[in-house]
């Protein structure tokens, strides 16, 4: 039954043989596009979400108080400008995440307060991430660099279903960010960066824990939605490939990993390629866990050694 | 002396440490494995609640994350960590594959609490002899 059709009164419904049960089913179906109906706060999965909310509040951090910014010493200009460039990219990611979360928060049913509360903590986490990377970008006197608009960000903003947006945020954005932050942590230049990346990793992991469990539970109940989500992810992977080709992103990370430009850059690029490989392996494992059959082998083409 | 004798004193030290509690609550089961020994440490709220012997077989099903190194690697990691030359266990894993997880959710759970686990290891490396 399609609820988008014009108003139906009770007499018309009776004439068409539609019962109130059919009507409620249709409303449930429509509500479930927001990923929240067919659930209520007493269901077991909400216990986990409630725990995540408590955890988010208890483990929150402050960029001003918890990051020792004064541990940052002057770095060679090429490294500093690369860090500034990559921080700007993370600003763009955080901005997009915020826009998506805020767009859908207002549409999620108030009956599922637990989910709403958790997503609000995620909004705070993302805003904190934005503030922290903005500060890191300019702390050594560099300006916030200009960065090309990410294909993936545009793609995420255009998705018009919460479940699809959530899946894409987790699988296309979150998992990749985690791997990048792990590698940046390995190649960080001071204590401030190490603590910053560690804190961001725990925030993103918390959101992914919520997202992946929600997607798995939902997919288990709705085969047709699962197919839609799979096709959204497949399209998203193409955008991801385009983003990997952006030279400023590759070059900035390669410079940070190698500790400078020039002859060291090829070494940095091989670390970048290793990072992409690690990400693809993790993505494939996660897709298998979600029982989503999507091939990621095309992404391996991106691990060439040219800029 | 077993490979993980240092865990006992570390648990006591962590439970007395206020700086450890600053990281916030953590609820995770961490397995420590060397060639012959295996221990399961339970992080619960802002404490470490237990530190028990375990069978080497099937341990991955009983814990959220398994930190698996040879005795020599444990010694190398803890000695260098105390002198500030070793990275965090998360970063150390990238080249050495020392972390094992039963599922992607366990991997995420470890990442959520990795700062607490690292703080535990950092206290442990100071007590390691």
């Amino acid at each position: 039954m399609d609820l988008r059709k014009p108003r139906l009164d009770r007499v018309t419904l009776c004439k068409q043989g539609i019962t109130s049960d059919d009507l409620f089913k249709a409303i449930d179906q429509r509500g479930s596009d927001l990923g929240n109906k067919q659930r209520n706060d007493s269901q077991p999965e909400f216990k986990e979400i409630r725990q995540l909310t408590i955890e988010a509040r208890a483990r929150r951090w402050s960029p001003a108080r918890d990051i020792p910014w004064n541990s940052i010493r002057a770095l060679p200009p090429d490294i500093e400008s690369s860090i500034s460039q990559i921080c700007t990219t993370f600003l763009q990611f955080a901005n997009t995440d915020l826009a998506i979360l805020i767009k859908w928060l207002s549409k999620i049913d108030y009956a599922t307060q637990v989910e709403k509360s958790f997503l609000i903590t995620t909004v705070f986490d993302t805003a904190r991430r934005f503030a922290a990377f903005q500060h890191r970008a300019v702390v050594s006197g560099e300006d916030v660099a200009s960065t090309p608009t990410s294909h993936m960000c545009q793609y995420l903003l255009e998705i018009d279903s919460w479940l699809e947006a959530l899946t894409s945020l987790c699988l296309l954005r979150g998992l990749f960010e985690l791997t990048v932050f792990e590698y940046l942590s390995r190649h960080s230049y001071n204590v401030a960066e190490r603590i910053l990346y560690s804190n961001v990793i725990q925030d993103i992991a918390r959101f992914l824990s919520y997202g992946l469990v929600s997607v798995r539970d939902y997919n288990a109940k709705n085969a047709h939605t699962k197919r839609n989500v799979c096709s959204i992810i497949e399209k998203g992977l193409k955008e991801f490939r385009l983003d990997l080709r952006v030279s400023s992103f590759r070059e900035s990370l390669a410079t940070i990993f190698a500790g400078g430009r020039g002859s060291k850059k090829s070494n940095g690029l091989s670390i970048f390629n290793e990072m992409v490989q690690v990400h693809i392996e993790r993505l494939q494992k996660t897709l298998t866990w979600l029982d989503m059959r999507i091939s990621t082998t095309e992404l391996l083409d991106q691990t060439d050694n040219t800029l | 002396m077993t490979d993980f004798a240092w865990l006992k004193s570390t648990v006591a030290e962590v439970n007395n440490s206020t700086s450890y509690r600053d990281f916030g609550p953590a609820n995770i089961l961490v397995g420590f494995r060397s060639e012959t020994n295996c221990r399961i440490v339970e992080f619960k709220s802002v404490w470490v609640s237990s530190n028990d012997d375990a069978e080497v077989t099937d341990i991955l099903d009983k814990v959220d994350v398994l930190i698996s190194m040879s005795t020599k690697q444990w010694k190398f990691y803890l000695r260098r960590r105390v002198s500030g030359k070793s990275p965090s266990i998360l970063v150390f894993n990238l080249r050495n594959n020392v972390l094992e997880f039963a599922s992607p959710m366990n991997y995420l759970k470890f990442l959520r609490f990795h700062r607490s686990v690292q703080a535990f290891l950092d206290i442990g490396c100071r007590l390691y002899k």
Side-chain angles (χ1 to χ4, degrees):
Chain A
M1 182 184 164
D2 189 356
L3 286 181
R4 282 168 296 188
K5 284 181 180 167
R7 294 164 59 190
L8 295 169
D9 57 38
R10 195 191 293 175
V11 180
T12 323
L13 288 173
C14 287
K15 277 182 189 167
Q16 290 179 1
I18 295 168
T19 64
S20 53
D21 278 351
D22 295 333
L23 195 60
F24 285 129
K25 258 187 215 165
I27 292 169
D28 269 353
Q29 187 56 48
R30 184 142 185 226
S32 64
D33 288 346
L34 300 177
N36 53 32
K37 289 283 178 175
Q38 301 173 353
R39 294 171 136 199
N40 60 55
D41 283 7
S42 60
Q43 283 180 307
E45 58 259 42
F46 278 99
K47 193 181 166 197
E48 178 70 16
I49 299 175
R50 200 173 281 119
Q51 282 297 325
L52 287 172
T53 313
I54 294 167
E55 183 189 312
R57 287 175 186 155
R59 294 183 78 88
R60 71 183 161 208
W61 52 282
S62 152
R65 194 189 57 220
D66 298 323
I67 310 285
W69 296 112
N70 57 6
S71 70
I72 296 177
R73 298 280 175 265
L75 291 166
D78 52 348
I79 297 177
E80 194 55 57
S81 66
S82 296
I83 290 175
S84 179
Q85 178 78 52
I86 212 70
C87 284
T88 315
T89 307
F90 293 139
L91 287 182
Q92 194 186 147
F93 289 178
N95 227 338
T96 315
D97 294 0
L98 271 178
I100 294 166
L101 287 167
I102 290 168
K103 174 182 165 188
W104 289 102
L105 251 176
S106 61
K107 295 178 185 174
I108 292 173
D109 196 337
Y110 276 89
T112 54
Q113 272 298 335
V114 177
E115 228 165 344
K116 244 178 156 52
S117 302
F118 174 71
L119 288 171
I120 286 167
T121 65
T122 309
V123 169
F124 280 116
D125 290 345
T126 314
R128 199 179 299 125
R129 197 158 80 228
F130 185 93
F133 282 115
Q134 194 173 41
H135 192 72
R136 176 62 194 96
V138 299
V139 74
S140 299
E142 286 279 331
D143 252 351
V144 174
S146 68
T147 187
T149 309
S150 149
H151 295 89
M152 178 59 72
C153 288
Q154 279 180 342
Y155 180 73
L156 289 172
L157 287 167
E158 284 163 12
I159 293 174
D160 58 0
S161 143
W162 166 236
L163 186 71
E164 289 164 2
L166 179 65
T167 318
S168 307
L169 273 180
C170 292
L171 295 175
L172 299 174
R173 165 64 58 72
L175 274 179
F176 182 62
E177 273 187 305
L178 278 183
T179 313
V180 175
F181 288 130
E182 278 180 50
Y183 271 82
L184 280 172
S185 185
R186 186 169 100 188
H187 298 279
S188 55
Y189 290 90
N190 45 59
V191 181
E193 285 173 8
R194 271 196 290 281
I195 295 178
L196 171 62
Y197 298 138
S198 290
N199 285 336
V200 170
I201 284 172
Q202 66 176 18
D203 289 351
I204 296 177
R206 200 180 306 119
F207 175 66
L208 289 188
S209 299
Y210 156 78
L212 294 186
V213 169
S214 300
V215 171
R216 190 194 55 177
D217 290 351
Y218 199 78
N219 280 351
K221 290 172 193 163
N222 303 278
H224 75 280
T225 327
K226 187 173 154 185
R227 280 193 294 276
N228 288 350
V229 170
C230 284
S231 71
I232 289 278
I233 297 297
E234 275 168 352
K235 283 181 207 159
L237 286 175
K238 286 178 188 154
E239 305 296 325
F240 179 68
R241 286 176 66 186
L242 292 175
D243 272 355
L244 284 182
R245 282 185 197 159
V246 175
S247 64
S248 62
F249 184 71
R250 290 161 72 101
E251 193 168 335
S252 302
L253 282 176
T255 307
I256 295 168
F257 294 159
R261 288 205 174 104
S263 57
K264 295 173 183 171
K265 202 164 68 179
S266 61
N267 182 29
L269 206 55
S270 61
I271 299 172
F272 177 87
N273 290 339
E274 177 197 308
M275 182 190 78
V276 175
Q277 296 263 16
V278 168
H279 167 64
I280 293 168
E281 281 166 23
R282 286 176 180 175
L283 178 63
Q284 195 61 64
K285 271 186 197 164
T286 312
L287 288 168
T288 309
W289 184 78
L290 287 168
D291 195 23
M292 290 164 76
R293 288 177 194 87
I294 299 171
S295 170
T296 52
T297 47
E298 285 180 6
L299 289 172
L300 289 168
D301 303 343
Q302 303 311 305
T303 55
D304 57 33
N305 284 313
T306 53
L307 282 171
Chain B
M1 194 167 122
T2 63
D3 294 341
F4 298 117
W6 56 276
L7 282 177
K8 193 179 173 187
S9 50
T10 307
V11 171
E13 185 73 19
V14 164
N15 287 337
N16 285 326
S17 161
T18 50
S19 60
Y20 172 79
R21 290 198 284 275
D22 288 344
F23 289 105
N27 296 297
I28 186 168
L29 281 169
V30 182
F32 292 80
R33 185 169 70 184
S34 66
E35 290 98 335
T36 49
N37 294 108
C38 216
R39 307 278 301 177
I40 295 178
V41 175
E42 186 178 13
F43 292 73
K44 201 164 192 178
S45 187
V46 290
W47 316 100
V48 178
S49 64
S50 64
N51 161 33
D52 302 319
D53 264 327
E55 292 291 321
V56 176
T57 52
D58 299 337
I59 188 172
L60 198 55
D61 299 329
K62 295 174 192 157
V63 294
D64 295 308
V65 54
L66 180 62
I67 308 174
S68 187
M69 287 191 259
S70 65
T71 311
K72 203 174 164 186
Q73 279 177 313
W74 272 113
K75 192 174 174 182
F76 173 82
Y77 180 76
L78 293 170
R79 288 263 162 87
R80 283 177 67 90
R81 181 72 189 165
V82 78
S83 58
K85 289 176 190 161
S86 275
S88 70
I89 196 78
L90 184 68
V91 171
F92 190 66
N93 176 58
L94 287 172
R95 277 194 181 151
N96 300 286
N97 283 326
V98 296
L99 300 178
E100 292 174 39
F101 311 93
S103 79
M105 287 308 291
N106 293 88
Y107 160 65
L108 292 174
K109 192 168 185 184
F110 172 70
L111 293 185
R112 276 156 53 195
F113 301 122
H114 77 278
R115 293 203 69 199
S116 298
V117 177
Q118 188 61 52
F120 177 87
L121 284 172
D122 287 348
I123 290 174
C125 71
R126 289 203 300 270
L127 302 170
Y128 181 74
K129 288 186 182 97

